[in-house]
Amino acid sequence: MRDFEVTAEPAGATSKSSTPRQAQNVTQYPFVIQKHAASHLHYDFRLGWNGVLKSWACAKGPSYVVADKRLAVQVEDHPMEYGGFEGIIPAGQYGGGTVMVWDQGTWEPQEGHTDVDAGLAEGQLKFIMHGSKMHGKWALIRIKEHEQKPGEKKSRWSSSTKPNWLLIKEHDEHEQPATAPALTEAQPNSAVTGRTLDQIAANEDHVWNSKETNAGPQPWFRQDEKTPADKALTSKPAAKPAATKAPIPAPKLDLTALPKELQPTFLKPQLATETESPPLAEGWLHELKLDGYRMQARKEATQVQLLTRSGIDWTDRVRAIAAEVARLPTHSLTLDGEIVVLAENGTTNFADLQASFQEGARHPLTFFCFDLLHIDGHSPRELPLIERKALLAQVLTPANPDILLISEHMTENADVMYKKACELHAEGIVSKKSAGKYTGTRTGDWLKSKCLHEQEFVIGGYTLPGKGKAGGPGLGALLLGYYDKDPKEGGHLIYAGRTGTGFNQKFATVLRKRLETAETHTPPFFNPPAAARKDAIWVRASTVAQVRFATWTADDQLRQAAFLGLREDKPASEVRREFAAPTPKTNDHKATSPSLPKQAPPPKTPARPSPASDARALPHPPIRLTHPDKILDPTSRLTKQQLADFYYAIAPRMLPHIAGRALSLVRLPNGIGGESFYQKNVSATLPPGFSSVPVPDKKTGEIHQYVSLDTVESIASLAQMSVLEVHPWGSLASNLEHPDRLVIDLDPDESLPWSTVAAAALEVRDALKRLHLTSFLKTTGGKGLHVVIPITPSLAYPEIKTWCHTFVRLLERANPKLYLTVMTKAARTNKIYLDYLRNERGATAVAPYSPRARPDPGVAVPLTWSELSTPTRPDFRIANFPDWQARLKKDPWQKLPTTAQSLPPL
């Protein structure tokens, strides 16, 4: 709809194909939705087709509610280059205002609607979207023209040349009820950089200036001289223009004041000491902690080497980065930095990086440089860091920012940056003394503040997936450890626990083959406990894994560890347990590294308010809440913020029992008393940090992605969704069809006293004891009790259900006056229903520490068996959490995850 002989804006380098796209061998096409604050806020909905972006202006944006029919006014086609633009269009130019890439991805026509050109002509497009926010089936339906009636409101865009369409969500697993939070409100920020419109406007890092750039292929330019504070968190947007900057002349560098030296072949890297929180004093630089491979880039004339932190040459594995370093206009150069794969929100993704190296996955690599160690025969290492980075910025000026760029920093508001990093699910931040020299040691000049517990561990053994699978592929768990000191000096490998999650079947098969070549008859661990020895296959301590975990237990074992990838860049002999050190309180540049005891205690959990404290005094989780004061329970006046604080407090105890499992969530958007529904499938409206579990339909085999939670923050985020109950499957995702725990649900009639229910639970425990089975106990958050039996995951769900049914029938026959095993409510008077049906595929039981969706919500809490002797029923509610919060210091279920037992025949 534009005459490009008149307008100065680029027409785009692509042209329409002469061949209909449905006849070509292409099934998916790009899309972008840009949030556009021009004369009014709206959403530009753009579908890539025939070399252009077909575009519609949608005032309210898309909705997952099927009944919502959003007006979308078709506007002129845009060039494909425009789809990656996020920044400022100056006033006076077409569409002047702030533009955000709100979502992007691919789309494809729905089956039966593959003739897109015909659909555009006829006014009916039906398609499937694959974005970070937009998923599933959608439709664009053109409205038939009609004569405007008197008093009828006219669209801002309505004219004879701009057809009106309706953007409609079609029925599928992604649709949401009308009570669900609006998608545009729940996820308002950029899908590329995570920024708000205000942050994009303040940054001005990309400016569309079409009136001045019509001579070249790049329709927008960067303003790199501006580095506002939040640019340190989003150093590089994920979407880039098709063309890169042309090389520019070498900067004029004054190196006369620097000491001369021969270029070192390798320099020992400077290391950071872990701290609980970043320093807030002046004199520090704060950078985003990158989750990648530490690398030293060494250029000498035309030769470039990329060396790992231990000096291993990885040049052949990162050729694109080596080639970009070779382009830099210096003769000799040594850079210190990190090779990463960028995630969509601007943080880094170590799992994708590891897949690039281990599995050949095609993820673009980026080298973030954060220090300059040598340049053209001179050493800058004695300069203050702030001066080294200024010199580094000049050196990197000609580099392609898709491949090589500087790690931005902030000089103030470290606490704000740290909180934002955690919200983005980054690893944390690194704080460096701005006047510090580069010493190549671990000192107090560099401090790392982690959002999540994550470090390297040595693999000392593994287990097989389970009974009956010894000859099959895959892994059950990895046995992990760390050295208490250098093994050359007599150091021992200390057992730290197991991890059985984080690797898929394909990678587990590859890793097992690797470990089989390193098997040994003797354990590499120093005096491993019995729990470590059970079913263990020992291997030489030569393989290093990156592991994320919730915390350390009181007996120095990892709690809820998840495998992230292998670390080929770090020798096993260098792996130590990491402890948090105190944060420096003063700006003392002469401070040295805090001394760490050889046998330091595990990090303590943050102090919580005393039981007498108000529940509202709990620490707030580092998550985003909309309407935190919204009342979710009229009875107890529970707010969304209080629910989030409760989840955050109990999350370390809940996490081991739900992580790596498919979940069903009970959501009440309007609170208790309003409409409720179960959410099982992953959808575009979930907060950040949620993961998924692939679950095949037992009839059709179709794969459904079920919700899963793997971090403390994601549990706290349940409050944003108004989730009042969490129900996990009885099996792990890594062994989906074979449960590892059973539940016998004692559901008593209201008339029965607590003493009768408690005695019944003890009777169930004793019956299991006679079968040599250990069991555990919890309240249900209501009037009943759950008896939980951990087992080795070797039997399928139908076998498990049959065993449980037989077991409860035996109890019923022994005491038919008390027990009932059928669901008939009329027959339950003065009886306890023994519910065994929670042990079939797809059935769930409420998670430990989960609230219940009832007035004045109760909480399902693990008990010791001795607590059944109390005269009254234990009462655990969110409202009285301060009275029972101290229970979190001890775990009645501490031994449950390591209890391995098999079901005997009945």
Side-chain angles (χ1 to χ4, degrees):
M1 296 178 66
R2 292 191 182 182
D3 184 348
F4 288 100
E5 294 182 0
V6 176
T7 179
E9 296 190 31
T14 55
S15 61
K16 291 188 176 183
S17 171
S18 59
T19 305
R21 292 296 286 269
Q22 66 271 18
Q24 299 179 21
N25 189 25
V26 178
T27 57
Q28 291 194 350
Y29 315 100
F31 84 83
V32 64
I33 302 176
Q34 289 164 308
K35 191 174 179 179
H36 192 172
S39 58
H40 53 276
L41 180 66
H42 64 279
Y43 293 79
D44 292 320
F45 188 91
R46 310 189 194 278
L47 301 178
W49 182 249
N50 281 352
V52 297
L53 291 171
K54 309 298 292 186
S55 300
W56 291 260
C58 186
K60 293 185 178 181
S63 170
Y64 269 95
V65 179
V66 174
D68 289 344
K69 296 176 174 59
R70 294 292 168 84
L71 178 65
V73 180
Q74 189 170 8
V75 296
E76 66 271 21
D77 297 342
H78 279 57
M80 296 295 290
E81 290 85 353
Y82 189 78
F85 174 69
E86 177 174 282
I88 303 298
I89 302 176
Q93 299 197 42
Y94 182 85
T98 306
V99 178
M100 170 198 292
V101 178
W102 183 77
D103 196 19
Q104 62 181 7
T106 61
W107 69 278
E108 61 186 282
Q110 289 189 37
E111 186 176 353
H113 298 270
T114 56
D115 193 338
V116 177
D117 289 326
L120 287 167
E122 296 169 3
Q124 186 179 67
L125 285 178
K126 289 180 176 286
F127 47 93
I128 300 172
M129 305 192 74
H130 308 281
S132 59
K133 301 174 184 178
M134 300 290 288
H135 300 279
K137 297 178 179 179
W138 296 78
L140 275 165
I141 307 298
R142 189 166 60 228
I143 304 173
K144 294 182 179 179
E145 295 182 8
H146 67 281
E147 183 178 351
Q148 187 175 357
K149 298 177 182 179
E152 183 180 6
K153 188 176 180 180
K154 190 175 182 180
S155 164
R156 298 178 189 269
W157 296 278
S158 290
S159 72
S160 59
T161 59
K162 294 184 176 181
N164 291 340
W165 297 61
L166 294 176
L167 177 62
I168 304 170
K169 180 74 187 77
E170 295 199 326
H171 290 289
D172 62 15
E173 69 273 18
H174 300 289
E175 66 181 271
Q176 294 290 322
T179 54
L183 176 63
T184 51
E185 294 181 6
Q187 301 191 54
N189 297 344
S190 168
V192 174
T193 63
R195 298 182 296 179
T196 65
L197 278 171
D198 290 341
Q199 289 172 328
I200 295 169
N203 279 13
E204 298 185 14
D205 53 353
H206 301 99
V207 178
W208 184 284
N209 212 344
S210 59
K211 293 180 179 178
E212 299 176 6
T213 59
N214 59 308
Q218 182 170 292
W220 55 269
F221 63 87
R222 293 175 60 116
Q223 292 185 339
D224 288 319
E225 68 274 10
K226 294 192 176 184
T227 56
D230 67 325
K231 191 175 178 183
L233 289 171
T234 55
S235 299
K236 170 178 173 285
K240 291 289 180 185
T244 60
K245 293 182 179 179
I248 64 175
K252 294 181 179 180
L253 304 175
D254 185 5
L255 307 178
T256 55
L258 300 180
K260 294 183 178 180
E261 68 171 6
L262 293 175
Q263 185 178 16
T265 56
F266 178 74
L267 288 163
K268 190 175 180 181
Q270 183 113 343
L271 302 176
T273 301
E274 186 174 359
T275 184
E276 293 179 354
S277 58
L280 302 180
E282 296 180 354
W284 292 85
L285 306 181
H286 309 283
E287 300 171 348
L288 187 67
K289 191 175 190 308
L290 303 169
D291 197 5
Y293 287 135
R294 181 77 172 273
M295 204 69 61
Q296 201 169 107
R298 184 182 186 276
K299 177 192 177 188
E300 186 175 11
T302 59
Q303 300 299 312
V304 174
Q305 286 181 297
L306 272 297
L307 306 171
T308 69
R309 58 187 292 168
S310 56
I312 301 173
D313 192 330
W314 273 23
T315 310
D316 288 339
R317 307 180 77 174
V318 287
R319 280 292 178 187
I321 293 173
E324 192 61 28
V325 173
R327 290 182 59 244
L328 296 176
T330 58
H331 176 76
S332 61
L333 183 69
T334 303
L335 304 171
D336 189 8
E338 194 105 353
I339 291 180
V340 304
V341 169
L342 285 171
E344 289 186 353
N345 64 354
T347 61
T348 51
N349 189 321
F350 183 78
D352 284 348
L353 178 66
Q354 192 265 349
S356 296
F357 285 109
Q358 295 294 326
E359 304 172 13
R362 294 187 175 182
H363 298 295
L365 303 181
T366 303
F367 186 30
F368 277 87
C369 302
F370 45 72
D371 221 320
L372 179 65
L373 310 188
H374 175 89
I375 181 168
D376 287 342
H378 295 79
S379 171
R381 298 187 297 280
E382 294 294 313
L383 289 176
L385 172 61
I386 190 69
E387 296 182 26
R388 294 200 306 272
K389 289 200 72 173
L391 190 58
L392 175 63
Q394 296 181 65
V395 172
L396 296 179
T397 298
N400 181 348
D402 279 326
I403 301 175
L404 188 65
L405 69 169
I406 193 169
S407 178
E408 302 285 354
H409 64 260
M410 292 174 62
T411 57
E412 55 186 0
N413 297 328
D415 52 343
V416 176
M417 181 177 179
Y418 178 53
K419 181 180 178 180
K420 184 63 177 178
C422 294
E423 288 177 358
L424 292 172
H425 296 273
E427 193 179 354
I429 67 173
V430 178
S431 304
K432 304 174 181 179
K433 285 186 176 178
S434 58
K437 302 176 182 179
Y438 194 97
T439 62
T441 57
R442 191 188 299 273
T443 73
D445 284 0
W446 287 20
L447 302 173
K448 56 185 176 182
S449 307
K450 292 186 176 182
C451 300
L452 301 169
H453 291 283
E454 183 175 319
Q455 71 163 84
E456 303 91 355
F457 288 93
V458 181
I459 300 176
Y462 67 96
T463 64
L464 299 176
K467 284 190 176 181
K469 294 190 175 183
L475 294 166
L478 299 174
L479 280 60
L480 307 171
Y482 58 90
Y483 281 100
D484 54 2
K485 63 179 181 180
D486 194 326
K488 295 180 181 178
E489 300 174 0
H492 298 294
L493 186 65
I494 308 302
Y495 179 73
R498 303 184 178 204
T499 177
T501 62
F503 38 77
N504 56 31
Q505 185 67 37
K506 176 182 176 181
F507 184 80
T509 301
V510 173
L511 181 55
R512 176 175 166 184
K513 290 180 180 178
R514 173 172 173 169
L515 295 176
E516 285 175 343
T517 64
E519 288 182 9
T520 179
H521 294 295
T522 57
F525 299 106
F526 175 73
N527 194 22
R533 295 176 179 272
K534 185 173 180 60
D535 300 324
I537 300 172
W538 308 117
V539 299
R540 293 189 299 275
S542 58
T543 304
V544 178
Q546 186 81 5
V547 176
R548 181 172 291 165
F549 57 100
T551 186
W552 290 92
T553 64
D555 55 349
D556 293 333
Q557 300 292 290
L558 296 175
R559 179 175 291 282
Q560 195 45 51
F563 174 84
L564 296 181
L566 295 180
R567 298 301 303 238
E568 297 186 15
D569 57 327
K570 187 168 184 177
S573 60
E574 292 185 9
V575 174
R576 305 284 188 274
R577 178 173 172 180
E578 297 182 2
F579 298 97
T583 302
K585 303 298 182 184
T586 62
N587 187 23
D588 179 8
H589 297 305
K590 296 182 180 180
T592 58
S593 173
S595 59
L596 298 177
K598 292 183 179 179
Q599 297 296 329
K604 295 182 179 180
T605 55
R608 300 294 188 190
S610 65
S613 301
D614 192 308
R616 289 173 294 182
L618 291 170
H620 294 337
I623 62 170
R624 178 181 178 273
L625 287 178
T626 59
H627 310 297
D629 295 329
K630 180 179 180 179
I631 301 294
L632 296 180
D633 174 41
T635 303
S636 64
R637 306 298 294 173
L638 175 72
T639 67
K640 186 186 286 188
Q641 182 68 66
Q642 290 171 331
L643 179 62
D645 297 347
F646 170 77
Y647 273 133
Y648 192 46
I650 57 86
R653 288 296 186 205
M654 179 192 281
L655 190 59
H657 305 291
I658 66 171
R661 297 177 188 269
L663 303 176
S664 293
L665 308 176
V666 179
R667 297 181 59 181
L668 293 91
N670 294 318
I672 294 173
E675 180 184 0
S676 66
F677 65 94
Y678 277 91
Q679 176 156 356
K680 300 179 181 180
N681 293 341
V682 172
S683 72
T685 60
L686 294 179
F690 280 58
S691 54
S692 63
V693 170
V695 177
D697 187 282
K698 57 185 177 182
K699 293 182 179 179
T700 66
E702 180 183 359
I703 300 296
H704 299 283
Q705 295 295 334
Y706 273 45
V707 174
S708 185
L709 303 174
D710 296 309
T711 67
V712 168
E713 291 79 11
S714 61
I715 292 177
S717 294
L718 292 171
Q720 170 61 20
M721 303 166 58
S722 301
V723 172
L724 267 298
E725 291 186 15
V726 181
H727 294 255
W729 277 41
S731 57
L732 288 163
S734 57
N735 199 355
L736 189 67
E737 304 300 335
H738 301 86
D740 64 346
R741 57 185 64 182
L742 317 181
V743 176
I744 304 298
D745 181 3
L746 281 70
D747 186 4
D749 180 59
E750 293 281 0
S751 63
L752 291 176
W754 163 246
S755 58
T756 301
V757 179
L762 290 171
E763 189 172 355
V764 173
R765 181 199 64 174
D766 293 342
L768 292 169
K769 271 187 175 181
R770 290 192 292 272
L771 297 171
H772 305 288
L773 292 173
T774 300
S775 57
F776 296 81
L777 181 70
K778 81 168 186 286
T779 70
T780 63
K783 60 185 182 297
L785 293 170
H786 282 175
V787 177
V788 181
I789 313 157
I791 61 169
T792 300
S794 57
L795 299 177
Y797 271 106
E799 300 170 282
I800 293 296
K801 180 182 175 183
T802 299
W803 190 94
C804 290
H805 190 193
T806 303
F807 176 74
V808 297
R809 286 291 303 275
L810 291 173
L811 291 172
E812 181 185 34
R813 290 172 186 171
N815 192 353
K817 292 184 178 180
L818 180 61
Y819 297 127
L820 183 72
T821 61
V822 294
M823 297 181 65
T824 308
K825 291 207 173 210
R828 290 195 195 181
T829 305
N830 295 324
K831 290 188 177 184
I832 296 175
Y833 171 48
L834 298 177
D835 185 357
Y836 65 94
L837 296 175
R838 301 188 183 278
N839 303 288
E840 59 184 346
R841 189 183 190 274
T844 59
V846 67
Y849 301 101
S850 169
R852 303 306 301 269
R854 301 165 185 170
D856 193 9
V859 181
V861 176
L863 301 176
T864 63
W865 286 104
S866 62
E867 289 181 283
L868 291 178
S869 61
T870 58
T872 58
R873 188 190 314 272
D875 183 35
F876 304 108
R877 300 180 184 277
I878 298 179
N880 68 358
F881 180 53
D883 298 330
W884 59 273
Q885 184 181 354
R887 293 182 61 92
L888 300 181
K889 296 179 180 179
K890 295 183 180 180
D891 185 5
W893 284 18
Q894 181 179 352
K895 294 183 180 180
L896 187 148
T898 58
T899 301
Q901 51 192 1
S902 300
L903 295 180
L906 293 175

